[in-house]
């Protein structure tokens, strides 16, 4: 890693990361008003941002595979959505329903910050596409792995798997490193945004080596299970627990929908609406449950589990070799 990249990683990891943890709560009223004002004045910002994202993915060496994925899934590749049951309020992007959901509300909040620094909407869309590229690549990796797993094993078992997340973080690091190297001006101190915070921590760990970044992922997702370490029985127990959690979503959704129809208690209605607005929705949970049950059926044999384990071992080795 160059001296510039290392300095960027350490500065972000040490300062902006802490600041971002404080700021990434729910938007206050004044921020929400500014976001809505920006959207009214720049109604095409979302489509401009997705075009810029496609341009960046096509340009970077580290995202050729990701660019091809988006092209294959033209209808769902990069989709602008708003905060709700599709995506959390302060999440920039998320892989779901076979494509990448991009959170307009959060991205516009970042564009508002750039506007305050003198950038118009067109330049903000370009700047944010570069800054979001590592995050988007991370989410696309989940989709690529899902495609590969279905071809290789006939099932989708990536939900809740630590190795799936490690592969995505490796992409995050590689893309961040290349993007900062090509456009260092976007990461000068005066241009740093909340969206940059996580990349600083990831790059600092990546500089220590792939294993150091893998340990960061383990620290970040302590409930995810390692296919390489768990064994068949432990993995099946984890799947059963996930099945129960998904079924709970259906129960809670029905309960809260009834509250909205019958309750006159403002606090109760607000809590119910907040739950219904948070991901995953019941519709998405049904898809996840189907995948869960199919995975569990395939993993009830030693051969099935070893096939899954070998799948991740092979891809992790290739990702580390390509560092």
């Amino acid at each position: 890693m160059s001296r510039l990249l290392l300095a960027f990683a350490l500065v972000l990891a040490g300062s902006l990361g802490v600041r971002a943890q404080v700021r990434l709560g729910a938007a206050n009223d004044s921020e929400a008003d500014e976001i809505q004002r920006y959207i009214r004045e720049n109604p095409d910002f979302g489509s401009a941002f997705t075009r810029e994202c496609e341009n960046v993915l096509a340009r970077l060496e580290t995202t050729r595979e990701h660019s091809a994925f988006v092209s294959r899934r033209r209808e769902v590749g990069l989709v602008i959505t708003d905060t709700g049951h599709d995506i959390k309020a302060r999440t920039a992007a998320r892989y779901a329903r076979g494509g990448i959901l991009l959170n307009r509300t959060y991205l516009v909040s970042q564009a508002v910050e750039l506007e305050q620094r003198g950038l118009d909407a067109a330049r903000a869309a370009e700047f944010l596409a570069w800054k979001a590229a590592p995050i988007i690549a991370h989410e696309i990796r989940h989709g690529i792995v899902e495609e590969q797993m279905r071809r290789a094993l006939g099932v989708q078992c990536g939900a809740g798997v630590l190795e799936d997340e490690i592969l995505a973080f490796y992409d995050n690091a590689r893309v961040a490193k290349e993007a900062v190297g090509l456009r260092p001006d976007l990461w000068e101190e005066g241009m740093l945004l909340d969206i940059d915070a996580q990349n600083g921590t990831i790059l600092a760990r990546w500089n220590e080596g792939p294993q150091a970044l893998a340990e960061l992922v383990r620290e970040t997702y302590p409930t995810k299970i390692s296919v390489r370490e768990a064994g068949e029985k432990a993995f099946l127990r984890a799947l059963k627990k996930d099945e129960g959690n998904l079924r709970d979503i259906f129960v809670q959704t029905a309960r809260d929908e009834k509250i909205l129809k019958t309750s006159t208690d403002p606090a109760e209605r607000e809590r119910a609406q907040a739950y219904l607005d948070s991901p995953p929705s019941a519709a998405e949970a049904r898809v996840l449950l189907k995948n869960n049950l199919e995975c569990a059926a395939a993993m009830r044999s030693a051969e099935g589990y070893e096939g899954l384990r070998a799948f991740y071992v092979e891809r992790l080795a290739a990702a580390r070799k390509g560092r």
Side-chain angles (χ1 to χ4, degrees):
M1 183 180 286
S2 72
R3 186 172 300 175
L4 170 65
L5 287 173
L6 180 56
F8 160 76
L10 293 176
V11 167
L12 273 179
S15 59
L16 181 56
V18 175
R19 180 171 64 86
Q21 289 172 20
V22 175
R23 295 192 60 198
L24 295 187
N28 58 39
D29 289 343
S30 61
E31 183 183 4
D33 290 344
E34 278 295 284
I35 289 170
Q36 292 306 312
R37 188 268 309 164
Y38 195 96
I39 291 173
R40 287 194 304 273
E41 294 178 0
N42 303 283
D44 297 328
F45 177 79
S47 57
F49 175 74
T50 57
R51 286 195 301 271
E52 292 292 348
C53 286
E54 290 175 356
N55 292 339
V56 173
L57 292 175
R59 177 175 174 180
L60 296 175
E61 291 288 333
T62 49
T63 55
R64 288 184 175 181
E65 190 178 12
H66 307 71
S67 180
F69 177 91
V70 171
S71 296
R72 286 197 304 276
R73 303 193 177 191
R74 177 55 55 188
E75 295 303 314
V76 295
L78 295 175
V79 177
I80 289 287
T81 188
D82 285 306
T83 297
H85 62 250
D86 280 336
I87 197 164
K88 292 181 180 179
R90 308 298 281 185
T91 299
R94 174 174 176 254
Y95 176 70
R97 302 199 301 273
I100 309 303
L101 305 179
L102 304 171
N103 188 343
R104 171 168 40 201
T105 308
Y106 176 73
L107 292 166
V108 169
S109 75
Q110 302 296 279
V112 168
E113 287 199 36
L114 290 174
E115 181 185 52
Q116 293 167 355
R117 302 175 199 186
L119 274 68
D120 61 20
R123 291 186 68 206
E126 180 200 359
F127 273 42
L128 286 174
W130 281 89
K131 288 174 174 290
I135 300 167
I136 293 172
H138 175 125
E139 297 302 325
I140 291 174
R141 176 54 58 187
H142 289 308
I144 292 171
V145 171
E146 181 181 280
E147 271 190 346
Q148 294 172 339
M149 187 180 295
R150 286 203 178 277
R151 285 199 301 267
L153 305 177
V155 292
Q156 165 51 21
C157 293
V161 172
L162 181 67
E163 286 80 4
D164 209 275
E165 208 62 55
I166 291 171
L167 287 169
F169 268 79
Y170 283 176
D171 278 15
N172 195 310
R174 277 193 294 264
V175 175
K177 181 178 178 179
E178 184 182 7
V180 175
L182 287 174
R183 292 294 306 272
D185 57 304
L186 303 185
W187 282 273
E188 292 177 353
E189 187 172 353
M191 285 296 154
L192 293 180
L193 301 171
D194 290 339
I195 199 171
D196 297 314
Q198 188 182 43
N199 286 327
T201 303
I202 291 171
L203 276 173
R205 288 292 187 98
W206 186 244
N207 186 54
E208 297 174 31
Q211 188 56 39
L213 182 51
E215 288 305 317
L216 173 65
V217 179
R218 190 187 295 270
E219 295 162 11
T220 306
Y221 299 99
T223 62
K224 287 187 180 285
I225 190 165
S226 170
V227 171
R228 293 170 297 167
E229 301 169 4
E232 176 191 343
K233 291 182 179 179
F235 187 64
L236 285 171
R237 286 196 298 271
L239 287 174
K240 192 66 178 177
K241 182 178 179 181
D242 288 344
E243 178 191 344
N245 292 337
L246 290 167
R247 293 190 186 279
D248 287 344
I249 291 173
F250 306 141
V251 174
Q252 187 66 46
T253 296
R255 183 180 299 141
D256 285 339
E257 287 176 342
K258 183 178 179 180
I259 286 172
L260 291 181
K261 291 178 181 177
T262 61
S263 176
T264 58
D265 183 330
E268 188 176 39
R269 291 178 60 84
E270 182 179 1
R271 184 209 55 76
Q273 190 63 62
Y275 181 84
L276 293 173
D277 285 344
S278 62
S281 65
E284 185 180 348
R286 279 191 286 273
V287 174
L288 295 172
L289 178 60
K290 178 177 181 291
N291 291 341
N292 174 286
L293 296 175
E294 291 174 350
C295 176
M299 295 300 112
R300 289 194 179 100
S301 69
E303 293 80 8
Y305 183 78
E306 282 306 310
L308 180 64
R309 186 179 185 279
F311 174 89
Y312 279 114
V313 167
E314 177 184 342
R315 279 155 185 78
L316 284 169
R320 287 170 173 166
K321 185 177 180 181
R323 178 171 182 262

